[in-house]
Amino acid sequence: MSILAVLEQRTSDGTPEWNRMSWETLSATQQIARELNQPASAAVLGQGIGALGKDLAGKQLEKAYVVEHELLRQYTPDAYSAALRQLVGHVKPSLVFFPHTYQVRDFLPKLATSLGRIAVSDVVSHRADGGKAILVRQLFQGKVNADVRFATEAPNFASLQAGAYRADQVIEGSAAVEMFAPSLSASDIRTKPLDLFREAQRAVDLGAAELIVSVGRGIKEADQIPLVQKLADALGAELAASRPICDAGWLPMERQVGSSGQTVAPKMYMAVGISGAIQHLVGMKGSRIIVAINKDANAPIFEVADYGIVGDLFQIVPELIDAIQKSK
Ligand SMILES: Cc1cc2nc3c(=O)[nH]c(=O)nc-3n(C[C@H](O)[C@H](O)[C@H](O)COP(=O)(O)OP(=O)(O)OC[C@H]3O[C@@H](n4cnc5c(N)ncnc54)[C@H](O)[C@@H]3O)c2cc1C
């Protein structure tokens, strides 16, 4: 028995690129496999993805499966679930982990159901208990943590929430690469993918940002947002916001962090005038370093902050900008 990570790539202009969350899933898989005393393997699907197989060959894995077929060139739920069903039949893993991406949300329930299993989604942590994995997922907007144990025979499936595991903890090593050619037929694929598009011209991918400065209702009015933008610019960070800021139209929705916005895991997340409601925390608590500026010393944001500044943001932010500029 082994534990298999199914990683995600996207091919645009003929060049396949890893989804950053793939490395979080790989690191989790290595960690859980070690704790359960099972080997870890990884798989990637697509066409013309040999270079990605080479990346995996440099990781500490028993096997790296490169699942290639022309019908996997563009993502479809039918082709992905059929190919993975065959791969799972071949590898016979005990557990299969996926990043909790939109694509995985699309095909994983179909894959699991077709094998008579359920998929546990949005896992935030785990622990090993008697050689079995107990997975933790959040309920009621993060107010309750639920322990989940699989009662079904292997293989069992789970997707891991962005930011729950550290991508920089993937263990390097070596893996034997195995090419796996699934048997797929065009007549089994019921959807026809069109060209990829971005919803908005200015779409930002906060998930890829290394530094984020995020503004909340403490900023008081739209006219003050440029102050926090200036801080973000000084740091070379993306600007994000809590929900009320986006609901008010002060910043576009694509910049909202939280349960109904984006989930982010930058190297540093600076929360400026954000209280730290649970719906906000679930979207950013996976950040490596959290800095909070809030005038209320009892604001819940300080419970997750590594560094906290209690004070008036209108005094602190200009001083910070000044200090950053002087240090350059
Ligand atoms: C179903 C649902 C989904 C939701 N999804 C999201 C989501 O995705 N993202 C999200 O963010 N929220 C979400 N919310 C809303 C969430 O519950 C909170 O209402 C919201 O996060 C609060 O935003 P805030 O911290 O900016 O504002 P507030 O809670 O009003 O906090 C403002 C903070 O600023 C501080 N402050 C005020 N003045 C200053 C000053 N001069 N200097 C320094 N600090 C100051 C205050 O002490 C306070 O802590 C959701 C709610 C629901 C019900």
Side-chain angles (χ1 to χ4, degrees), residues 9-17 46-49 73 196:
Q9 59 89 19
R10 175 159 284 183
T11 303
S12 51
D13 305 328
T15 315
E17 276 178 25
Q47 194 200 19
I49 51 168
R73 187 174 62 80
L196 294 175

mmCIF file of all heavy atoms in Angstrom, residues 9-17 46-49 73 196:
data_model
loop_
_atom_site.group_PDB
_atom_site.id
_atom_site.type_symbol
_atom_site.label_atom_id
_atom_site.label_comp_id
_atom_site.label_asym_id
_atom_site.label_seq_id
_atom_site.Cartn_x
_atom_site.Cartn_y
_atom_site.Cartn_z
ATOM 1 N N GLN A 9 -1.493 20.489 -13.036
ATOM 2 C CA GLN A 9 -0.734 21.361 -13.942
ATOM 3 C C GLN A 9 -1.732 22.005 -14.893
ATOM 4 O O GLN A 9 -2.848 21.535 -15.053
ATOM 5 C CB GLN A 9 0.312 20.553 -14.720
ATOM 6 C CG GLN A 9 -0.239 19.418 -15.588
ATOM 7 C CD GLN A 9 -0.616 19.823 -17.004
ATOM 8 O OE1 GLN A 9 -0.160 20.851 -17.495
ATOM 9 N NE2 GLN A 9 -1.467 19.031 -17.646
ATOM 10 N N ARG A 10 -1.305 23.085 -15.480
ATOM 11 C CA ARG A 10 -2.129 23.706 -16.523
ATOM 12 C C ARG A 10 -1.210 24.002 -17.696
ATOM 13 O O ARG A 10 -0.123 24.552 -17.516
ATOM 14 C CB ARG A 10 -2.766 24.983 -16.001
ATOM 15 C CG ARG A 10 -3.524 25.708 -17.075
ATOM 16 C CD ARG A 10 -4.541 26.644 -16.503
ATOM 17 N NE ARG A 10 -5.718 25.932 -16.021
ATOM 18 C CZ ARG A 10 -6.790 26.524 -15.519
ATOM 19 N NH1 ARG A 10 -6.825 27.815 -15.376
ATOM 20 N NH2 ARG A 10 -7.831 25.820 -15.150
ATOM 21 N N THR A 11 -1.660 23.582 -18.881
ATOM 22 C CA THR A 11 -0.838 23.821 -20.062
ATOM 23 C C THR A 11 -1.422 24.981 -20.840
ATOM 24 O O THR A 11 -2.553 24.915 -21.298
ATOM 25 C CB THR A 11 -0.796 22.561 -20.951
ATOM 26 O OG1 THR A 11 -0.308 21.482 -20.161
ATOM 27 C CG2 THR A 11 0.110 22.758 -22.141
ATOM 28 N N SER A 12 -0.666 26.093 -20.906
ATOM 29 C CA SER A 12 -1.115 27.167 -21.788
ATOM 30 C C SER A 12 0.042 27.482 -22.729
ATOM 31 O O SER A 12 1.206 27.393 -22.335
ATOM 32 C CB SER A 12 -1.547 28.391 -20.998
ATOM 33 O OG SER A 12 -0.563 28.755 -20.087
ATOM 34 N N ASP A 13 -0.260 27.795 -23.956
ATOM 35 C CA ASP A 13 0.743 28.027 -25.005
ATOM 36 C C ASP A 13 1.711 26.848 -25.105
ATOM 37 O O ASP A 13 2.913 27.030 -25.316
ATOM 38 C CB ASP A 13 1.569 29.304 -24.744
ATOM 39 C CG ASP A 13 0.683 30.520 -24.564
ATOM 40 O OD1 ASP A 13 -0.390 30.536 -25.194
ATOM 41 O OD2 ASP A 13 1.050 31.426 -23.800
ATOM 42 N N GLY A 14 1.212 25.638 -24.881
ATOM 43 C CA GLY A 14 2.038 24.443 -25.037
ATOM 44 C C GLY A 14 3.013 24.192 -23.896
ATOM 45 O O GLY A 14 3.721 23.184 -23.906
ATOM 46 N N THR A 15 3.071 25.101 -22.916
ATOM 47 C CA THR A 15 4.030 24.892 -21.816
ATOM 48 C C THR A 15 3.281 24.511 -20.546
ATOM 49 O O THR A 15 2.493 25.301 -20.026
ATOM 50 C CB THR A 15 4.808 26.204 -21.533
ATOM 51 O OG1 THR A 15 5.213 26.744 -22.785
ATOM 52 C CG2 THR A 15 6.013 25.950 -20.654
ATOM 53 N N PRO A 16 3.536 23.304 -20.042
ATOM 54 C CA PRO A 16 2.841 22.922 -18.805
ATOM 55 C C PRO A 16 3.447 23.608 -17.589
ATOM 56 O O PRO A 16 4.673 23.741 -17.499
ATOM 57 C CB PRO A 16 3.043 21.402 -18.734
ATOM 58 C CG PRO A 16 4.241 21.117 -19.561
ATOM 59 C CD PRO A 16 4.413 22.238 -20.549
ATOM 60 N N GLU A 17 2.587 24.063 -16.703
ATOM 61 C CA GLU A 17 3.071 24.726 -15.478
ATOM 62 C C GLU A 17 2.387 24.114 -14.274
ATOM 63 O O GLU A 17 1.183 23.862 -14.305
ATOM 64 C CB GLU A 17 2.724 26.216 -15.516
ATOM 65 C CG GLU A 17 3.744 27.007 -16.292
ATOM 66 C CD GLU A 17 3.364 28.469 -16.369
ATOM 67 O OE1 GLU A 17 2.632 28.933 -15.481
ATOM 68 O OE2 GLU A 17 3.802 29.118 -17.328
ATOM 69 N N GLY A 46 -1.756 14.821 -18.251
ATOM 70 C CA GLY A 46 -1.736 15.805 -19.326
ATOM 71 C C GLY A 46 -1.185 15.196 -20.596
ATOM 72 O O GLY A 46 -1.196 13.974 -20.780
ATOM 73 N N GLN A 47 -0.708 16.090 -21.465
ATOM 74 C CA GLN A 47 -0.012 15.617 -22.662
ATOM 75 C C GLN A 47 1.213 16.506 -22.869
ATOM 76 O O GLN A 47 1.130 17.722 -22.672
ATOM 77 C CB GLN A 47 -0.907 15.693 -23.897
ATOM 78 C CG GLN A 47 -0.317 14.901 -25.029
ATOM 79 C CD GLN A 47 -0.871 15.306 -26.394
ATOM 80 O OE1 GLN A 47 -1.423 16.388 -26.555
ATOM 81 N NE2 GLN A 47 -0.726 14.427 -27.347
ATOM 82 N N GLY A 48 2.330 15.891 -23.211
ATOM 83 C CA GLY A 48 3.558 16.678 -23.369
ATOM 84 C C GLY A 48 4.053 17.201 -22.037
ATOM 85 O O GLY A 48 4.496 18.341 -21.923
ATOM 86 N N ILE A 49 3.951 16.377 -20.993
ATOM 87 C CA ILE A 49 4.300 16.842 -19.638
ATOM 88 C C ILE A 49 5.551 16.139 -19.109
ATOM 89 O O ILE A 49 5.746 16.029 -17.896
ATOM 90 C CB ILE A 49 3.116 16.637 -18.654
ATOM 91 C CG1 ILE A 49 2.584 15.201 -18.730
ATOM 92 C CG2 ILE A 49 2.019 17.642 -18.927
ATOM 93 C CD1 ILE A 49 1.637 14.840 -17.604
ATOM 94 N N ARG A 73 -4.940 16.473 -22.869
ATOM 95 C CA ARG A 73 -4.269 17.742 -23.171
ATOM 96 C C ARG A 73 -5.060 18.904 -22.566
ATOM 97 O O ARG A 73 -4.514 19.788 -21.931
ATOM 98 C CB ARG A 73 -4.137 17.922 -24.692
ATOM 99 C CG ARG A 73 -3.294 19.126 -25.110
ATOM 100 C CD ARG A 73 -3.091 19.130 -26.611
ATOM 101 N NE ARG A 73 -4.347 19.256 -27.344
ATOM 102 C CZ ARG A 73 -4.988 20.400 -27.550
ATOM 103 N NH1 ARG A 73 -4.484 21.520 -27.092
ATOM 104 N NH2 ARG A 73 -6.129 20.429 -28.206
ATOM 105 N N LEU A 196 -9.232 28.793 -22.599
ATOM 106 C CA LEU A 196 -9.255 29.306 -21.222
ATOM 107 C C LEU A 196 -9.421 30.816 -21.263
ATOM 108 O O LEU A 196 -8.918 31.467 -22.181
ATOM 109 C CB LEU A 196 -7.938 28.989 -20.526
ATOM 110 C CG LEU A 196 -7.638 27.519 -20.281
ATOM 111 C CD1 LEU A 196 -6.246 27.364 -19.688
ATOM 112 C CD2 LEU A 196 -8.674 26.923 -19.343
#
